[in-house]
Each structure stands twice: as C-alpha cells, then as structure tokens.
Amino acid sequence: MFSADSESLHRVALVIQYLGTHFYGWQRQPNHPSVQQAIEEAIIKVCGKVTVLHSAGRTDTGVHAAAQVAHFDTSSLIPPTRWAKVLNSYLPEGILICGSTEVPSDWHARFSATWRRYRYTIYTAAIPNLFVKQFSWHYYHDRLDEQLIHRALQPMLGEHDMAAFQRAGSSRPHSRLELQEAICWRDGDFVHVEVQASGFLYGMIRLLVGQLVDVGCQRLSLAAFTSRWQEKRRIEVKYAAPPQGLCLLAIGYADNPFTEFASRKQTLTLTDNHIFKLV
C-alpha cells in the first residue's frame, strides 16, 4: 500500500477495458460484482481511502468496453501516469487499466465528453463458435441484408428525439441527442453496427439493434422503421438484442487527455485464427 499523502487533491483519469461477461454492468450495486466496485476497491487497497470513481457512461450487464473513461480524486503521491500499472496489480480478471493521466480539477469523464461510440456485432454463421460467443449475438435464423440496415440508419443522423429506444427507469431529463455517425457493414460471417453520438439513452443500442435485425431480414420495412422512431412509438419496440454483442469503443473529448486511447476507435476484432485482437 502507498501511504504517503499530500494535502492537495489530484484528479486522475483512466482508460479502462473490461469484459462485461464477468460483471453486472459498470455501476456499483448491492450483492453483484460491478466494474466500478472492483476498481474502487483496488484504489482503497492502494491508498487506504474510500474513493468514488466517475465514468463517462454506464454499461449494462454483459456489455464490454474497449476504452471506457473514468476519473477520481486522490491526495496520494503516486504519479498519475503510474496509477494504471499500480491498479492492474489489484484488479480481477476481466478488467485492465490501459492508461492513466492527470487532468484539470474541472475536467469530468462524463460531462467533458463530446461523443461516445459503440459497436454491436452479430455472428451469422449457422454453426456456433465458442471463440466468438461472448462477443457477439449468434443470429442465423434469417439472412441479414447489411445494406438495408445501413440505409435504415442514415435518416437518424443529426439531432432527434430517440424516445422509441429508451428503456424504462431512465433518469435522463429528455430523450434528444445528436447522432454523429451510423454505419453497418459485413465482414464474412460478422455484421457490425457502429454508432457515434453525443450521448445515448438507457438501453438504446440494444433496442435499436433489435429493430435493425427486423429490417435486415425484411420483417420490417424501411418506412415502417423510420416512422416508428420518428413518431416515438416505444410500445412497438418489443425486444432488445442480447448484451454480449455490444462494446463501448471510445469516448471523445475536445481536449483529449489520452492521445493514444480515448479518441481511438478501438474494438475487439476476430482474426483468421479465431482469436480476438484489439485494433
């Protein structure tokens, strides 16, 4: 344990990767392991003080992150750039701190962010594959047309009310956001949906992908899909895609404290040898 403290507080920002398979989401909660809890407990082991970790966004149970960003305040004398290495010694399997740095006292992982980017991966081969199971939705019942899905996403660009894709229980004061980029493409047996926005509603991407799959297999027309979200007909959005296909890729900042991590569109990608690598 590092016990030497100074009187002044320093704000330390972290870039964090985690496998959602092992956790009940980001946010601390009673009786279930969470990413926030694991890192906060590691900080206590290091400096002996209870510390609150603030993230750029909350991910649900089973959702992964390639570059989540969070910050905390500390009076420890540990150099800010060493926190990543120190914390990794105390963290459980499934969490890795990729980088750490000092940020100004008015910088906030959530409120200073200008965009978030997610990718959802669908595995379409008929035969299941153990090596991709925890990173994708195995959907093989119908042929998915990725071009139709891409076309369905384009009218959503810009600022819109996305209430049709918001799960109950959200504390967000409104459901308007700016969609900055939305694409869909196929890579062999994988269909990827990638969306970047100023922010996301509670459960938005999984509800959206559930609808897009209906578009891709032509159970739902482009016109019907568009009118459904434009008219905010939440009652017609019946189901969400499963969590394991979703990954938080990156968080963007106007003054990016992480030149290597936070603005890079990182994700796990399957290689020819059926091994995931970070690209």
Side-chain angles (χ1 to χ4, degrees):
M1 177 187 295
F2 292 80
S3 58
D5 292 331
S6 67
E7 293 300 322
S8 60
L9 287 175
H10 302 277
R11 181 156 292 187
V12 178
L14 307 172
V15 175
I16 308 160
Q17 294 176 354
Y18 51 87
L19 300 178
T21 312
H22 302 281
F23 304 99
Y24 284 76
W26 165 268
Q27 188 176 10
R28 177 184 281 271
Q29 54 185 291
N31 306 319
H32 295 294
S34 71
V35 179
Q36 180 186 19
Q37 176 186 356
I39 300 175
E40 288 178 347
E41 289 179 351
I43 295 172
I44 292 174
K45 291 176 182 176
V46 172
C47 64
K49 292 186 177 181
V50 175
T51 304
V52 178
L53 193 62
H54 303 272
S55 71
R58 300 172 181 175
T59 53
D60 293 337
T61 300
V63 175
H64 313 293
Q68 171 72 280
V69 177
H71 79 264
F72 66 96
D73 294 324
T74 180
S75 59
S76 171
L77 293 180
I78 300 172
T81 55
R82 284 200 61 203
W83 272 99
K85 182 176 181 180
V86 171
L87 287 176
N88 282 334
S89 301
Y90 294 90
L91 288 172
E93 181 180 356
I95 303 178
L96 179 70
I97 310 297
C98 297
S100 59
T101 190
E102 185 167 7
V103 290
S105 60
D106 60 350
W107 187 93
H108 196 284
R110 177 183 175 189
F111 299 117
S112 298
T114 57
W115 54 261
R116 289 89 171 153
R117 192 176 186 96
Y118 281 89
R119 178 183 290 181
Y120 196 96
T121 297
I122 304 168
Y123 179 56
T124 64
I127 300 174
N129 187 329
L130 179 64
F131 295 98
V132 305
K133 185 177 180 180
Q134 68 173 326
F135 301 111
S136 62
W137 176 14
H138 186 202
Y139 187 91
Y140 57 93
H141 314 287
D142 305 282
R143 166 72 183 181
L144 290 181
D145 186 332
E146 67 279 4
Q147 295 182 7
L148 270 179
I149 295 175
H150 182 79
R151 288 171 57 192
L153 286 165
Q154 301 320 296
M156 304 178 76
L157 296 175
E159 186 174 331
H160 301 284
D161 191 324
M162 294 294 175
F165 303 116
Q166 182 170 252
R167 285 173 56 186
S170 173
S171 59
R172 208 172 190 268
H174 62 84
S175 50
R176 294 191 67 84
L177 53 86
E178 180 194 10
L179 227 68
Q180 300 165 348
E181 188 176 359
I183 56 176
C184 178
W185 75 100
R186 178 179 289 275
D187 181 9
D189 290 329
F190 295 90
V191 172
H192 304 286
V193 175
E194 198 162 303
V195 180
Q196 180 174 306
S198 57
F200 288 90
L201 306 178
Y202 179 40
M204 175 179 166
I205 295 295
R206 291 172 56 198
L207 288 169
L208 172 61
V209 171
Q211 294 290 290
L212 291 172
V213 164
D214 281 350
V215 171
C217 63
Q218 301 186 50
R219 283 196 298 266
L220 182 66
S221 70
L222 289 172
F225 169 79
T226 301
S227 65
R228 183 171 290 180
W229 68 260
Q230 287 182 342
E231 296 172 13
K232 296 175 281 188
R233 302 201 301 268
R234 174 66 181 86
I235 194 171
E236 296 180 15
V237 180
K238 300 292 186 182
Y239 55 88
Q244 71 273 11
L246 186 57
C247 183
L248 172 60
L249 298 188
I251 314 291
Y253 297 92
D255 187 10
N256 180 14
F258 299 101
T259 57
E260 184 177 357
F261 299 102
S263 64
R264 183 180 170 199
K265 297 171 185 177
Q266 301 184 92
T267 188
L268 292 170
T269 298
L270 191 69
T271 69
D272 292 337
N273 296 320
H274 301 297
I275 299 172
F276 275 91
K277 67 177 181 178
L278 191 66
V279 296

